[in-house]
Amino acid sequence: MSRLENYCSDDDQTKQQLQQFDDLVDDGIICISDTESIPDTQQRKPPELTQLPATLHYPDGVVRLTRMVDSPLSPDVVTLDQLIRKPEVEKVLVTSFVLDMDWLLRHFNETTKVVAVAHSNNKEEKPGVYTSESGRVMVIRPSFNGLQWSIMHSKIMLLFCKGYMRLVVSSANFFSIDWTVLQNIVFIQDFPLLEDAPQECEFGRELVGALRDLQVPEQVIEQVRRVDFSRARARIVTSVPSKLPLERKHLKTYGSSLSEYRRKTSRDDAATQAAISQNVNIGFHTQDQANQNRFGDVPRECIKFRSTLYFDEAYMSSRLHKVTPVVDRVLMHAKVMVARYGENNKENGWLYLGSHNCTPAAWGYVDMARNATTRIRYLNNFEFGIVLPEVTFESMFGRDTITWNGTKVPLPFKLKWEPYGQMDLPCMNME
């Protein structure tokens, strides 16, 4: 539905004008809310349309929040239908931990080919490739390299349209709850197709590598290799189920699930040690926030925190902070990492968003090999996210503004966090 549809007639000329208006808003050329504006010195220049296909709506990449079912439209939010642009999509690849295939297919034309990488929900769903009788739908259930307790948790979408491919990196699964009553975050960028032979670039190699890790068929990967990623400014971050000698450390922060964070454990968790030595805060919903959310028990069941961990005396509870959602009385399923450094009124840094929760399964943990002195790094899950480098944070007139690559970056929470009070408890799953 267009932003102005409630105020206009329903003729074809009006629809065309409304679509042109939406496209201008999406491209950042005009804005309909002062929340979209940024300082004049950083205003985004209109895209050079003469050098790009006219169909590219997000040629430089943007961040959006998923729209709550009862919230008004705004430049900061997007719906799944707006992302998909149904008439334009010829083929699609999605990856999702929770997948409602019937719900997903309703967003596409009946002729659209769908490839889905999904987690196996039970022992009967063996790793492999499954194709529907019509040949329209292919479902891939990847193997986990022999590791136990692993999941396929990445959440991306590749939309193949005439002349371009749209990449969507998200914290949202592909089922209704994540797009209607839970607050999620998405990164969107449109890339033109190459007319000539494939050209190698770092972003394209990383994306192809991630798809191969997920055991996506080569015929799909070949289409990705024919995409022009030269305008990519984000960086891809993935996790793959593996067991390797320790080479480098990782850092964990905000997510919709929390797991072990101990001061001293038999597992010498590198991320835990980093969290102690650096100023790392972990944001997570409190029990009160969960009880007061306006959508009831359904979204609350998607926020995971084991009570046995929190009440363990070794747990790093001092790192927990309350976060205030930008949308009142909703729960956030987003997974975001914000790094800031510099002056208080103007800081630089970087931002991560994607599927990684604040768990060792997502980012890795370190353990000693049996009867050996070698430290082994374990990764349990398939995860996918992106890092936005060179992010700028500014505070003007009491409002925080985040910009990247000349565009505003909306976050699902306010940037001012406060530590848990004595009476605060995290939203927990009681065991």
Side-chain angles (χ1 to χ4, degrees), residues 188-365:
I188 317 158
Q189 186 163 0
D190 295 339
F191 298 98
L193 302 184
L194 291 167
E195 297 181 358
D196 302 319
Q199 299 176 2
E200 294 290 332
C201 72
E202 182 180 1
F203 190 92
R205 286 193 297 270
E206 290 175 348
L207 180 57
V208 165
L211 297 178
R212 285 196 172 121
D213 288 333
L214 290 168
Q215 296 137 51
V216 172
E218 283 298 318
Q219 59 264 36
V220 178
I221 291 175
E222 184 59 29
Q223 296 178 64
V224 177
R225 294 183 66 243
R226 295 188 175 276
V227 174
D228 181 1
F229 294 108
S230 60
R231 294 178 74 93
R233 297 295 178 266
R235 300 290 183 265
I236 293 175
V237 179
T238 65
S239 293
V240 181
S242 57
K243 174 183 175 182
L244 298 169
L246 178 64
E247 295 177 356
R248 56 184 177 182
K249 298 182 178 182
H250 297 272
L251 187 64
K252 309 184 184 77
T253 183
Y254 181 85
S256 62
S257 296
L258 284 181
S259 186
E260 293 180 89
Y261 287 86
R262 302 168 183 268
R263 294 184 180 85
K264 293 182 179 180
T265 66
S266 57
R267 295 174 178 174
D268 183 13
D269 192 335
T272 299
Q273 301 305 317
I276 294 173
S277 61
Q278 302 180 36
N279 187 22
V280 175
N281 297 322
I282 302 169
F284 200 76
H285 282 300
T286 65
Q287 200 83 279
D288 287 343
Q289 286 178 313
N291 292 337
Q292 296 168 12
N293 98 87
R294 66 184 189 230
F295 295 113
D297 292 337
V298 172
R300 177 173 176 157
E301 293 176 359
C302 300
I303 308 300
K304 306 293 185 182
F305 194 119
R306 289 171 54 194
S307 60
T308 53
L309 289 177
Y310 181 74
F311 292 113
D312 188 323
E313 62 180 16
Y315 187 80
M316 296 171 57
S317 57
S318 63
R319 292 291 173 181
L320 287 178
H321 283 63
K322 289 191 290 187
V323 292
T324 303
V326 295
V327 180
D328 188 41
R329 294 174 55 219
V330 302
L331 296 180
M332 295 176 292
H333 187 255
K335 301 91 168 66
V336 180
M337 184 183 297
V338 180
R340 305 173 65 175
Y341 48 86
E343 302 290 338
N344 289 330
N345 59 344
K346 185 174 182 180
E347 300 177 315
N348 297 317
W350 51 264
L351 186 146
Y352 164 90
L353 66 92
S355 70
H356 291 75
N357 276 306
C358 304
T359 64
W363 289 105
Y365 62 89

Side-chain angles (χ1 to χ4, degrees), residues 10-80:
D10 196 28
D11 58 280
D12 292 339
Q13 182 177 4
T14 299
K15 287 184 177 180
Q16 184 177 4
Q17 292 173 345
L18 293 175
Q19 184 60 60
Q20 292 172 350
F21 175 86
D22 283 354
D23 292 344
L24 290 172
V25 172
D26 289 339
D27 288 335
I29 299 174
I30 64 173
C31 63
I32 60 175
S33 169
D34 62 356
T35 59
E36 182 74 359
S37 60
I38 56 178
D40 291 339
T41 56
Q42 297 181 8
Q43 280 290 353
R44 177 182 174 187
K45 296 180 180 179
E48 299 177 5
L49 297 178
T50 56
Q51 299 180 8
L52 296 169
T55 51
L56 297 188
H57 300 278
Y58 305 107
D60 296 308
V62 297
V63 176
R64 294 288 185 265
L65 304 178
T66 56
R67 180 194 172 198
M68 299 294 94
V69 67
D70 61 351
S71 296
L73 290 165
S74 82
D76 289 344
V77 302
V78 69
T79 67
L80 187 58

Side-chain angles (χ1 to χ4, degrees), residues 38-220:
I38 56 178
D40 291 339
T41 56
Q42 297 181 8
Q43 280 290 353
R44 177 182 174 187
K45 296 180 180 179
E48 299 177 5
L49 297 178
T50 56
Q51 299 180 8
L52 296 169
T55 51
L56 297 188
H57 300 278
Y58 305 107
D60 296 308
V62 297
V63 176
R64 294 288 185 265
L65 304 178
T66 56
R67 180 194 172 198
M68 299 294 94
V69 67
D70 61 351
S71 296
L73 290 165
S74 82
D76 289 344
V77 302
V78 69
T79 67
L80 187 58
D81 283 331
Q82 289 173 325
L83 282 178
I84 289 177
R85 304 181 73 89
K86 186 174 180 178
E88 300 180 15
V89 181
E90 299 173 349
K91 302 174 184 176
V92 60
L93 167 70
V94 300
T95 71
S96 185
F97 174 55
V98 181
L99 176 63
D100 184 341
M101 183 61 77
D102 292 336
W103 175 83
L104 179 65
L105 291 178
R106 289 198 294 270
H107 292 81
F108 297 97
N109 289 325
E110 293 182 357
T111 56
T112 302
K113 299 287 187 180
V114 178
V115 177
V117 182
H119 181 68
S120 299
N121 295 316
N122 55 60
K123 294 181 179 180
E124 296 179 359
E125 296 176 337
K126 302 295 184 182
V129 178
Y130 303 86
T131 306
S132 64
E133 292 183 3
S134 66
R136 178 194 174 194
V137 178
M138 175 187 294
V139 177
I140 301 163
R141 302 195 182 279
S143 59
F144 297 104
N145 300 322
L147 294 179
Q148 293 182 330
W149 318 115
S150 294
I151 60 174
M152 202 305 298
H153 197 249
S154 71
K155 303 159 176 60
I156 65 172
M157 179 166 58
L158 305 182
L159 298 163
F160 296 92
C161 307
K162 186 175 181 180
Y164 74 100
M165 185 198 80
R166 172 167 293 177
L167 169 66
V168 179
V169 180
S170 174
S171 62
N173 290 289
F174 288 97
F175 79 134
S176 176
I177 292 173
D178 278 23
W179 294 88
T180 55
V181 298
L182 276 172
Q183 185 77 85
N184 280 285
I185 191 168
V186 298
F187 172 82
I188 317 158
Q189 186 163 0
D190 295 339
F191 298 98
L193 302 184
L194 291 167
E195 297 181 358
D196 302 319
Q199 299 176 2
E200 294 290 332
C201 72
E202 182 180 1
F203 190 92
R205 286 193 297 270
E206 290 175 348
L207 180 57
V208 165
L211 297 178
R212 285 196 172 121
D213 288 333
L214 290 168
Q215 296 137 51
V216 172
E218 283 298 318
Q219 59 264 36
V220 178

